Amino acid sequence: MPALKRSRRSLYEDEEDLEEEVLGVESAQSELRQDNRKKPRLSMGLEEISDIDSSEGSTDEENEELQASQYAEKRRRKTRQQNQPAENGIIESVTCTNFMCHGYLEVAVGPLINFVIGHNGSGKSAVLTAITICLGGKASSTNRAGNLKAFIKEGQEQCVLSIKLKNAGEAGYSQDVYGKSIIVERHFNRTGTSGFKLKSASGKIISTRKADLEDISDYFALQIDNPMTILTQDMARQFLNNSTPQEKYKFFIKGVQLEQLAQDYQLLEESIDKTETTFPEKQDTIDILDNIARKAKAVFAMSEKHENIRKKVRQLRLQMAWAQVEEQEEWLASHDNEITQAKETIANVEGKVALVSDKFEQANSALEAAQIHVEDAKTELSPIIAEKETQKESYDGSKAEAKAVQTEQRRIKEMLRETERRIAKFKDDIAEEYRKLEEANGGSHARRLAELDERKAEVEAVKKRSEDHNRVLQSLEEDKIRAVQGLEGLKAPRRDKNQEIQQCNEDLQALMKDRGQQLGGYPQGMSNLIKAVRQDNSFQQPPVGPIGEYVRLLKPAWSGILEKSFGGVLNSFIVTSKQDQSKLSSMMQRCRCSFPIVIGNNSSLDFSRNEPEQNFDTAFRILAIENPIVLRQLVINQAIEQTILIENNEEARELMLKTVFPNVKQCYSFKGRGGVRLTYANQGGVNSTFVDPFSGVPRMKTDVEIQISLRRDTLKRLQGDLTELDRCYREAQNAVEECNKEIARHRRRSKELQGDIRRAESVADDLQDAIDLGAGQEGKLEALKKGLEETTEEQTILEGSYEESVLAKDKFMAQMKEFQEKMTVIDGHLAEVELKLKKAEKRSAKLIEQRHTVLQDKNSVIEALRVATEDLKELQDGRTEKVEAVTAFVEGASKVGPRVPIPPGETGKAIEKKLEKVIQDCDAYEKKFGGNTRKIAEDLAKATKEHTDALASLQEEEKLAQLLKLSLHNRRKRWERFQKLITTRARNAFVLMLAHRGHRGKLAIDHKTRLLDLIVQPDETQTSKGRQTKTLSGGEKSFSTICLLLALWEAMGAPVRCLDEFDVFMDSVNRDISMGLLIAAARGAMGRQFIFITPQGMNNADSQTDIKIIRLQDPERNQRTLEFPRE
């Protein structure tokens, strides 16, 4: 039910006599919901009320016309006064953004009379629609659209409306908050979102609640939902032209808000009637309660006669209560003796724990020393092996060089033998030539000698080209050797890379296959073992394992290194007793599996002081271990708190070499697919051990998707490396093939040059034969001498080369001997160090076994201490509970009564039997009366209270109903008076309006039939009562309806009245008369603001100061003119 509005204050002054302001009635209102901040509205002068009061009983039409004439005269005297604008509650400006056809429109409204004019489609009606929507009205009440989204301009996403309300004067609304103006802003968009903003005069946002806007509307009585306040175009057309008497009455009753007030009274009457119907039923209930109270009082009087038996019951109960206290105190004393014995047992066990802890520390220290010896031996062994490999490489190099020199010697020997043979042949040929020269003579000998020289020169030139060509062959073969070596060198990396890719693929497939399977990384039989352990409840304490199931890896990148480092530890189980160890071992045999079993305990382990600096990642810091017993074992056996993790190997080695960090035993870093373990050496420096890549499904819990992603990244990187190796391998193959082609081409060219040599030598030989036969042998002899000389020089050179090769071979052989001797020395040293390493490892293994044995003894003693401590704690807890029980018994007994001595020989059970006998006697009496004295007293008090409360409640409700009925009666009387006063004022105002044109008439208002009709006599000379609107002309009918509208406005209290296109169907004469009537009525309504919408011009009103003409320009609608072809 909407809140009903207060009237608004206005002042009327009479020029003839200043009358006091009194509370009048401009509109009916409900007082069911009132706000203390709302103010009453003062209107109507004393003479108006007295005039109306004096005519309450009159129904004669002549008296009504006389009253109308008197009222009209007084109104004419008042309208001579200059109209003053209201100080608050009126509109100062309206701003629209993306609203209907307007992209942006700002209209400054005058305080009194406003005419908004413009062509059809210019958006005049949008101003009134914006006022309704912005001040909280519904979209459907504008008859323009069903929702707010339809008001947004086409092509835009949101709309903003803003109205500035005047808030000056003493009666302003919260002026200390808003100032002299209140800005109401409403925004909505096409998604359906809508909201309000209430701003002060400075633009500061004060509120965004619609309820605050409703409070402002109530305060100023704006009545936005009242159909007579803002009369839209459709409503104005219906009201002015087509409305029936029923519709006119409906407009009237809603406009003056009498209908809402009547509905409120009807609801109140129904509520009172509904309440009164419950009174008889409640009276019956009170009678029943009164009867119950009387009976309870009689029973209580009879029950007081048996008090002696109850006293005996109380005495026995007191003795029984304190007898139970004595029994609990005796049990507590016995419990204290057991606690003393348990403390003595713990003291003995703690001595054993200290002893076995010392043994364990000694064994642990001896093991650490042995492990240091092993690491030292490994450290000493590594450079010896490297030195041996270096000497072996040097030996192999010298050996290869010696073989090459030996091959060169054999070649030189062959060439020397060939040279000696040629020298012998030259000598024989020279001797033969000397003999022939003695016989030779003739004239052509010189010519043939010259030609022979040319041919020999040609032969030498061809040989020279052949020698140059042959020298290139060695370079080509060296290139081929290098290419083949490069090709062979790529085969092993390609094979290794393929194996890595295959292994990575297998790991990835295993991860994807085991996705969601937590035990995929463990050996076979693990799932059966875990199932068997969970089903067996005979363990003293359930085994914890496998350890990997209790470890969650926070940084999966370290999974491979830590999995390899932890090894079988992640498969092990932890028990807390020797008995559980034997039971679990038997269970493993039944499940056909074998895993390590460690005896541990649940005692806490504080190792915070043994951790390295916080800037290092450690194995402990990247692991989430919830089980304390698992954490204890990993700290003791794997030193996870002192194992730092550094990703870059070079950075890790540099840091370890540079500084000996406290509380750091080892460091892991990445290298390739595996990793490197770095430890400090005894003599300084850092020992490094390569950690092979881990293959298989990870056992530590982690995000499987991250593991799969890491493996995929690794696979992608390996495939990229393989692609690069394949490219290099193909290039090496191409290089080898190219070398083979070059060598083949070289050999073909060598054969061609050899053919050229043979042909040139054949020509020279033929010419030499001719010279020898025909012209003598002198030239040939010189040639033979020269050949002998060259061959002799060649022999000398070869002999020198052979001597150099012999020296080189001796040198390489000496180097081989030296390297061999060094290797022999290294082998001896290596054997000594390996023996030392073997002994150290053997001793370390023995100490590990000894440490394990001592650790088991220590765990057993600690377990015994734990059991004794738990027993003591259980006893202490039991004592605490027993102390609490004794305290509770004492408190309970104290509530029963003070402590009393227990008769000798009496026990709680004996007293309980006596009590039961007495209680049975007491119960017999109580059964007779229906309960004990306390219960009977409680029942009596309860029955008395229920009767008193019910009677008081009924009396209060009856009194309230009477008061409400009286108030409702008074209010309805007042409502009837309001109805009569408002009706009379509307009638008088209607008569006054008709008088402006010389017409007579009246308003026929029948509240019983809910009809309102107009009776008008246009001709003053006629004596008839008048005619109904159906018989009037069009102009007379429009003028009469305008008079009706102004008369109804006179009965309303809203400060703002709006009318849209009231003159659409009027001719110019009636429009001018109606316009003058509207202006006159508006001027007579002191302090009211009027906004009229008309498509017609207002040239005759432009010069008047209290009238503001607002001309709207046609908005941009993005319309274009159609182009038609010209004929």
Side-chain angles (χ1 to χ4, degrees):
M1 182 170 60
L4 301 174
K5 321 300 180 186
R6 282 275 189 185
S7 298
R8 189 175 179 274
R9 183 184 303 273
S10 64
L11 298 176
Y12 288 92
E13 296 181 355
D14 198 310
E15 292 179 354
E16 296 178 356
D17 53 347
L18 297 175
E19 301 170 334
E20 295 182 354
E21 300 173 358
V22 296
L23 180 64
V25 180
E26 284 196 352
S27 63
Q29 52 193 325
S30 170
E31 296 182 3
L32 293 179
R33 295 185 182 180
Q34 294 186 356
D35 188 341
N36 292 331
R37 295 190 326 173
K38 298 179 182 178
K39 55 183 182 179
R41 179 175 298 281
L42 297 179
S43 63
M44 301 176 68
L46 279 173
E47 77 279 8
E48 295 180 20
I49 295 178
S50 62
D51 290 342
I52 295 174
D53 291 343
S54 65
S55 61
E56 284 184 5
S58 176
T59 57
D60 187 74
E61 293 182 359
E62 294 179 359
N63 292 335
E64 290 181 355
E65 290 180 0
L66 179 60
Q67 292 175 12
S69 300
Q70 295 174 355
Y71 179 74
E73 181 62 25
K74 293 180 180 180
R75 294 293 295 174
R76 278 193 293 271
R77 290 201 305 270
K78 287 187 177 182
T79 54
R80 296 191 190 101
Q81 304 176 16
Q82 185 177 0
N83 193 4
Q84 297 295 329
E87 293 182 336
N88 48 63
I90 61 175
I91 299 174
E92 293 183 328
S93 66
V94 180
T95 304
C96 307
T97 303
N98 298 328
F99 183 71
M100 296 180 69
C101 63
H102 297 290
Y104 179 80
L105 174 66
E106 183 175 1
V107 177
V109 184
L112 295 174
I113 304 172
N114 298 270
F115 285 93
V116 181
I117 65 175
H119 297 133
N120 289 332
S122 61
K124 303 182 298 300
S125 299
V127 177
L128 297 189
T129 304
I131 294 173
T132 302
I133 297 300
C134 188
L135 292 179
K138 298 180 181 178
S140 57
S141 65
T142 63
N143 294 328
R144 290 300 186 103
N147 54 60
L148 294 176
K149 294 187 287 186
F151 289 116
I152 301 176
K153 185 179 180 181
E154 184 177 357
Q156 302 296 326
E157 292 299 321
Q158 70 172 7
C159 171
V160 179
L161 302 176
S162 178
I163 290 180
K164 188 175 182 181
L165 298 176
K166 191 174 182 181
N167 193 40
E170 295 180 356
Y173 180 85
S174 299
Q175 288 187 345
D176 56 334
V177 177
Y178 290 94
K180 294 186 178 181
S181 297
I182 299 176
I183 300 174
V184 181
E185 185 178 294
R186 186 171 189 180
H187 53 86
F188 48 91
N189 54 36
R190 294 193 182 275
T191 62
T193 304
S194 173
F196 293 89
K197 292 181 181 178
L198 300 179
K199 300 181 179 180
S200 64
S202 61
K204 179 182 177 181
I205 298 177
I206 304 301
S207 174
T208 58
R209 298 172 61 249
K210 187 179 180 181
D212 294 336
L213 175 60
E214 293 174 351
D215 289 343
I216 295 174
S217 298
D218 292 347
Y219 184 82
F220 291 131
L222 295 178
Q223 302 181 19
I224 295 300
D225 293 330
N226 189 338
M228 299 298 295
T229 299
I230 299 178
L231 206 60
T232 62
Q233 185 175 342
D234 295 335
M235 297 296 290
R237 184 182 300 112
Q238 180 181 356
F239 178 76
L240 296 177
N241 300 291
N242 303 319
S243 60
T244 63
Q246 291 87 350
E247 291 173 344
K248 287 186 178 71
Y249 184 84
K250 186 181 296 184
F251 272 109
F252 168 74
I253 203 72
K254 284 186 178 180
V256 297
Q257 305 235 322
L258 287 172
E259 184 178 34
Q260 183 64 55
L261 202 57
Q263 292 175 359
D264 293 345
Y265 293 157
Q266 183 64 31
L267 289 175
L268 181 58
E269 184 178 14
E270 291 175 359
S271 177
I272 295 172
D273 293 340
K274 186 176 180 181
T275 301
E276 287 181 337
T277 58
T278 64
F279 290 166
E281 182 180 352
K282 291 182 178 180
Q283 184 60 50
D284 294 340
T285 303
I286 291 171
D287 295 339
I288 294 172
L289 292 175
D290 184 38
N291 189 24
I292 293 172
R294 288 196 187 97
K295 290 181 179 180
K297 188 175 182 180
V299 172
F300 178 74
M302 296 176 65
S303 68
E304 289 182 341
K305 299 178 182 180
H306 304 285
E307 186 62 26
N308 292 331
I309 298 176
R310 294 189 186 93
K311 289 181 180 180
K312 182 65 174 178
V313 170
R314 287 195 291 272
Q315 180 66 22
L316 290 175
R317 281 179 176 168
L318 191 61
Q319 290 179 357
M320 186 179 71
W322 288 105
Q324 292 176 348
V325 170
E326 288 186 357
E327 292 175 356
Q328 294 296 324
E329 289 174 346
E330 291 175 358
W331 190 93
L332 180 60
S334 175
H335 197 79
D336 288 340
N337 293 332
E338 293 180 3
I339 291 175
T340 303
Q341 294 176 1
K343 289 181 178 179
E344 293 175 356
T345 302
I346 290 175
N348 294 331
V349 177
E350 284 178 346
K352 294 180 180 180
V353 170
L355 181 61
V356 76
S357 297
D358 292 339
K359 290 182 179 180
F360 177 74
E361 292 298 330
Q362 293 174 3
N364 196 42
S365 300
L367 177 58
E368 290 182 354
Q371 289 176 343
I372 291 173
H373 288 313
V374 172
E375 293 296 332
D376 292 343
K378 289 181 179 179
T379 303
E380 187 177 358
L381 186 63
S382 297
I384 296 174
I385 294 174
E387 180 64 21
K388 180 179 178 181
E389 291 176 355
T390 302
Q391 297 298 329
K392 182 68 168 56
E393 291 176 359
S394 301
Y395 174 82
D396 292 340
S398 298
K399 185 177 180 180
E401 293 291 341
K403 286 183 179 181
V405 171
Q406 188 175 3
T407 303
E408 182 67 16
Q409 283 182 349
R410 286 196 295 269
R411 188 180 66 80
I412 293 174
K413 284 182 179 180
E414 259 327 294
M415 294 178 68
L416 282 173
R417 284 194 292 271
E418 177 65 23
T419 302
E420 290 174 353
R421 185 186 62 77
R422 288 166 56 197
I423 289 173
K425 186 175 184 306
F426 272 125
K427 289 180 179 180
D428 292 341
D429 290 342
I430 289 173
E432 180 64 24
E433 286 303 317
Y434 275 118
R435 187 185 60 79
K436 287 182 180 181
L437 283 175
E438 292 177 357
E439 298 175 357
N441 52 25
S444 61
H445 183 66
R447 186 181 63 254
R448 291 180 177 177
L449 287 175
E451 185 177 356
L452 179 60
D453 291 338
E454 292 178 1
R455 296 301 178 186
K456 286 182 177 180
E458 183 178 350
V459 170
E460 291 299 328
V462 175
K463 287 183 177 180
K464 182 68 170 57
R465 290 198 300 272
S466 178
E467 291 174 356
D468 294 340
H469 185 69
N470 288 335
R471 281 195 295 270
V472 176
L473 178 61
Q474 183 178 359
S475 175
L476 293 176
E477 290 179 345
E478 291 175 354
D479 292 342
K480 178 180 178 181
I481 291 171
R482 286 192 294 270
V484 171
Q485 290 176 347
L487 182 63
E488 292 297 326
L490 290 172
K491 288 182 179 179
R494 288 181 71 245
R495 181 175 62 255
D496 295 341
K497 194 63 68 176
N498 276 313
Q499 291 176 354
E500 290 182 11
I501 290 175
Q502 182 179 359
Q503 183 63 48
C504 190
N505 265 320
E506 292 175 357
D507 295 345
L508 180 59
Q509 293 302 323
L511 281 173
M512 296 179 69
K513 178 180 179 182
D514 296 332
R515 182 184 294 172
Q517 301 180 8
Q518 298 181 354
L519 302 178
Y522 294 95
Q524 293 182 353
M526 179 64 77
S527 58
N528 294 333
L529 177 61
I530 293 176
K531 185 176 180 181
V533 169
R534 290 175 179 172
Q535 292 176 351
D536 194 333
N537 296 325
S538 61
F539 289 100
Q540 294 181 0
Q541 187 171 345
V544 176
I547 287 180
E549 282 297 291
Y550 295 87
V551 179
R552 181 173 184 82
L553 185 59
L554 302 180
K555 292 188 177 182
W558 291 100
S559 174
I561 290 178
L562 294 183
E563 290 275 356
K564 194 72 175 180
S565 173
F566 291 160
V569 174
L570 297 178
N571 299 336
S572 61
F573 285 76
I574 305 173
V575 296
T576 57
S577 64
K578 189 70 176 179
Q579 182 180 354
D580 287 349
Q581 182 187 26
S582 301
K583 185 181 292 293
L584 181 59
S585 179
S586 301
M587 190 175 291
M588 287 182 180
Q589 292 177 1
R590 292 196 300 272
C591 294
R592 296 181 180 180
C593 60
S594 178
F595 301 109
I597 302 175
V598 180
I599 299 178
N601 60 73
N602 292 323
S603 60
S604 61
L605 181 64
D606 184 9
F607 52 85
S608 57
R609 292 178 296 179
N610 297 329
E611 291 190 75
E613 299 174 1
Q614 289 297 323
N615 58 331
F616 288 114
D617 274 344
T618 64
F620 166 70
R621 291 169 185 166
I622 70 166
L623 297 177
I625 306 171
E626 298 178 356
N627 194 303
I629 194 171
V630 173
L631 175 60
R632 182 184 181 87
Q633 291 302 320
L634 290 179
V635 169
I636 293 174
N637 296 323
Q638 298 296 325
I640 60 174
E641 83 285 7
Q642 295 182 348
T643 300
I644 63 174
L645 306 173
I646 301 175
E647 295 183 0
N648 187 278
N649 183 39
E650 296 298 330
E651 180 183 353
R653 182 178 294 275
E654 182 179 352
L655 285 174
M656 294 285 283
L657 287 172
K658 183 177 179 181
T659 307
V660 178
F661 293 100
N663 298 328
V664 173
K665 284 188 175 181
Q666 56 186 355
C667 172
Y668 284 103
S669 61
F670 293 123
K671 187 173 184 181
R673 290 194 62 224
V676 176
R677 176 175 177 262
L678 303 174
T679 57
Y680 290 114
N682 288 339
Q683 294 82 12
V686 174
N687 298 329
S688 62
T689 305
F690 185 74
V691 180
D692 294 329
F694 175 75
S695 59
V697 179
R699 293 163 294 177
M700 291 185 290
K701 290 184 178 180
T702 184
D703 192 339
V704 177
E705 297 301 329
I706 295 178
Q707 286 283 0
I708 291 175
S709 177
L710 290 174
R711 293 299 171 92
R712 284 176 174 167
D713 293 342
T714 302
L715 179 61
K716 185 176 180 181
R717 178 178 58 78
L718 292 176
Q719 288 174 343
D721 295 343
L722 180 60
T723 302
E724 180 64 20
L725 287 174
D726 288 341
R727 184 187 64 78
C728 295
Y729 187 78
R730 288 192 299 271
E731 291 179 356
Q733 284 182 328
N734 294 335
V736 171
E737 292 176 1
E738 187 64 29
C739 289
N740 289 330
K741 291 178 181 179
E742 289 293 332
I743 291 173
R745 286 194 294 269
H746 185 277
R747 288 175 178 172
R748 287 195 299 271
R749 180 58 180 164
S750 296
K751 290 180 180 180
E752 292 175 358
L753 290 175
Q754 290 296 328
D756 293 343
I757 292 172
R758 285 194 299 272
R759 286 190 293 272
E761 288 179 342
S762 176
V763 173
D765 290 343
D766 291 342
L767 185 59
Q768 184 67 45
D769 291 342
I771 292 173
D772 292 343
L773 294 176
Q777 304 297 326
E778 291 181 0
K780 185 176 181 180
L781 179 61
E782 291 298 327
L784 290 173
K785 288 180 179 180
K786 186 175 181 182
L788 176 62
E789 182 180 355
E790 292 175 352
T791 304
T792 303
E793 291 178 357
E794 183 179 352
Q795 182 182 23
T796 304
I797 293 170
L798 289 174
E799 289 175 349
S801 298
Y802 183 76
E803 291 176 357
E804 291 176 355
S805 66
V806 170
L807 294 174
K809 182 179 180 182
D810 293 340
K811 176 184 175 183
F812 290 130
M813 292 301 292
Q815 289 179 351
M816 287 173 61
K817 183 178 179 180
E818 180 182 355
F819 292 143
Q820 185 67 42
E821 292 174 352
K822 290 183 179 179
M823 288 172 62
T824 302
V825 174
I826 291 173
D827 286 338
H829 192 194
L830 182 61
E832 293 177 359
V833 177
E834 287 178 345
L835 180 60
K836 180 180 177 181
L837 175 60
K838 187 174 182 181
K839 291 180 179 180
E841 289 177 342
K842 184 176 180 181
R843 174 172 173 74
S844 177
K846 183 179 179 180
L847 290 174
I848 289 174
E849 184 65 26
Q850 292 177 358
R851 179 183 177 277
H852 182 68
T853 302
V854 175
L855 179 60
Q856 288 181 338
D857 295 340
K858 179 182 177 182
N859 290 337
S860 299
V861 177
I862 291 176
E863 173 63 18
L865 178 61
R866 183 188 66 80
V867 172
T869 304
E870 289 180 354
D871 291 342
L872 175 61
K873 186 176 184 301
E874 184 176 355
L875 289 171
Q876 290 175 340
D877 292 342
R879 186 184 187 282
T880 302
E881 293 176 359
K882 183 52 65 179
V883 169
E884 292 176 355
V886 171
T887 304
F889 272 97
V890 172
E891 291 178 355
S894 299
K895 291 180 180 178
V896 176
R899 186 159 189 163
V900 296
I902 307 301
E906 290 287 351
T907 63
K909 292 183 178 179
I911 296 174
E912 186 177 3
K913 289 181 180 180
K914 293 180 180 180
L915 179 62
E916 289 176 355
K917 178 65 175 61
V918 178
I919 288 176
Q920 287 177 1
D921 296 338
C922 186
D923 288 343
Y925 289 108
E926 290 179 353
K927 185 176 182 181
K928 181 178 180 181
F929 299 113
N932 56 31
T933 304
R934 177 180 295 179
K935 183 177 183 303
I936 294 172
E938 290 176 353
D939 293 342
L940 174 60
K942 181 179 178 182
T944 304
K945 185 177 185 303
E946 288 178 351
H947 174 261
T948 303
D949 292 345
L951 182 61
S953 176
L954 178 60
Q955 292 174 351
E956 185 69 23
E957 290 181 5
E958 289 176 343
K959 181 179 179 181
L960 178 61
Q962 292 300 323
L963 291 175
L964 289 175
K965 290 173 69 175
L966 178 61
S967 176
L968 179 61
H969 176 74
N970 294 334
R971 287 176 178 272
R972 277 187 165 161
K973 287 293 184 181
R974 189 183 301 174
W975 183 88
E976 292 174 358
R977 180 172 175 79
F978 284 171
Q979 184 187 58
K980 190 170 185 178
L981 291 174
I982 293 171
T983 302
T984 303
R985 180 169 182 177
R987 285 171 176 169
N988 292 339
F990 181 70
V991 173
L992 174 65
M993 299 304 170
L994 288 177
H996 279 78
R997 197 177 179 186
H999 293 178
R1000 292 184 295 106
K1002 69 175 182 178
L1003 284 180
I1005 302 177
D1006 189 343
H1007 294 292
K1008 294 182 179 180
T1009 59
R1010 301 179 65 83
L1011 297 177
L1012 186 153
D1013 205 357
L1014 309 181
I1015 298 176
V1016 180
Q1017 177 55 262
D1019 189 357
E1020 291 181 342
T1021 62
Q1022 297 293 329
T1023 59
S1024 62
K1025 295 182 178 180
R1027 296 180 293 171
Q1028 293 185 342
T1029 55
K1030 294 180 180 179
T1031 62
L1032 299 175
S1033 65
E1036 294 170 344
K1037 181 178 181 181
S1038 298
F1039 176 76
S1040 301
T1041 311
I1042 289 294
C1043 292
L1044 172 62
L1045 174 62
L1046 294 175
L1048 296 182
W1049 273 357
E1050 280 291 321
M1052 289 172 51
V1056 180
R1057 290 98 184 268
C1058 302
L1059 180 61
D1060 189 4
E1061 296 195 4
F1062 58 91
D1063 55 351
V1064 174
F1065 300 102
M1066 293 183 182
D1067 55 20
S1068 59
V1069 175
N1070 285 307
R1071 179 180 180 275
D1072 291 340
I1073 295 172
S1074 299
M1075 191 69 70
L1077 181 61
L1078 287 173
I1079 294 173
R1083 286 172 175 166
M1086 302 294 289
R1088 301 294 191 272
Q1089 185 182 42
F1090 292 85
I1091 301 175
F1092 300 110
I1093 306 295
T1094 176
Q1096 307 294 333
M1098 291 295 296
N1099 296 328
N1100 58 341
D1102 288 348
S1103 60
Q1104 302 180 34
T1105 58
D1106 59 345
I1107 299 176
K1108 183 172 184 178
I1109 308 299
I1110 302 170
R1111 291 182 174 85
L1112 297 185
Q1113 302 297 326
D1114 295 340
E1116 293 290 337
R1117 299 180 182 270
N1118 296 324
Q1119 296 179 346
R1120 294 182 295 178
T1121 303
L1122 297 177
E1123 296 181 0
F1124 295 97
R1126 297 181 180 179
E1127 296 182 356

